[in-house]
Amino acid sequence: MTTTISRVGFIGLGDQGGPMAEAIAERGFALHVWARRPASLSAVERIPHTVHRTVAELGASAELIGLCLRDDADIWDVLDGQGLLAAVASGTIIVNHGTGDPAEAVRLGEHVARAGGVYLDAPVSGGSPGAHAHTLTTFAGGSENAFETARPVFDTFSDTVTLMGPVGAGQFAKLFNNALTITNMKNAEDVLGLAAQVGLDLPALIDVINASSGGSAALRSLGRDVTPELAEHVHLLMKKDMHHFADAVRAGGGGDPSEVLQRGLAGAAGLVDAARMIARARQTGAPAGEAA
């Protein structure tokens, strides 16, 4: 394995992955990208980069390859279906920055190792705002050697980077983080709904609570980042993550996650209505419970 990374590949130039790739290039790494849709390349148009025609071509050009994709099935497709794994040199580090199943991360790690590569699961938290601000949290799982080699890359878009254990541990840590965030979202939705019913100014209430002891990441995101349009997409990801969390806890012998799962699913289900309620309050200046 190389001890110093200079050429970094990146696949998955979405709302979070695009700013991550941009941060990597801004810190002087040679950035190599591939995108299924040419329009996605606009995420890196301001910084130096090399575009590859195929995933395999990118694989042969980088020492570390970051994948910021939707789910584990997409990782398998890139590795095998599109030929990434067959093209990489021995010792190439392949990093999954998406959120998935810890057991599947172990299977992916074993698969990559059999092909001569090195696998890290390193999901990130902070969303698009954190990616743009370079303040993501990276939860890593894998060997210490691979982690230390990859860390300078992670540091470009993160302000907290932690090795949680072997492959799969990064996914476990991210799922527990998400479970807390999503169940807290249910708390915020319930309390804000009651506040709207008694006629409080929701934007002002959110601001003052976030400066006080009742503040939380869930409440801050509802008040600032989660628009109704974004909520339509995010609540589906939340449901997926809660099911991954419950499956991982059961598989790990960690007890019955049913109560946490149900509260998390309820938080995900209420996100769209809560985002609309707050957006309406901001637009009209009237208490959210009143007709516009």
Side-chain angles (χ1 to χ4, degrees), residues 107-238:
R107 287 188 284 271
L108 284 162
E110 293 170 345
H111 185 63
V112 169
R114 285 193 293 271
V118 180
Y119 187 77
L120 290 172
D121 62 301
V124 294
S125 178
S128 179
H132 280 284
H134 305 170
T135 58
L136 294 174
T137 297
T138 298
F139 308 85
S143 74
E144 186 171 358
N145 188 14
F147 171 74
E148 292 299 337
T149 301
R151 182 162 190 161
V153 178
F154 299 162
D155 284 340
T156 66
F157 49 76
S158 309
D159 64 4
T160 302
V161 181
T162 302
L163 179 63
M164 300 303 302
V167 170
Q171 295 294 353
F172 255 122
K174 176 66 188 302
L175 289 174
F176 274 81
N177 173 81
N178 286 10
L180 280 170
T181 301
I182 299 167
T183 53
N184 285 341
M185 191 68 73
K186 174 61 174 167
N187 297 340
E189 292 162 4
D190 288 349
V191 171
L192 292 177
L194 293 171
Q197 291 177 30
V198 301
L200 282 173
D201 180 331
L202 289 191
L205 181 66
I206 290 170
D207 289 344
V208 74
I209 289 178
N210 275 324
S212 188
S213 60
S216 68
L219 186 63
R220 285 193 297 275
S221 66
L222 264 179
R224 181 182 62 195
D225 301 323
V226 180
T227 64
E229 296 75 21
L230 182 60
E232 294 279 0
H233 170 66
V234 170
H235 87 280
L236 298 175
L237 297 179
M238 286 180 166

Side-chain angles (χ1 to χ4, degrees), residues 94-111:
I94 297 175
V95 185
N96 178 13
H97 288 300
T99 304
D101 177 9
E104 196 70 3
V106 173
R107 287 188 284 271
L108 284 162
E110 293 170 345
H111 185 63

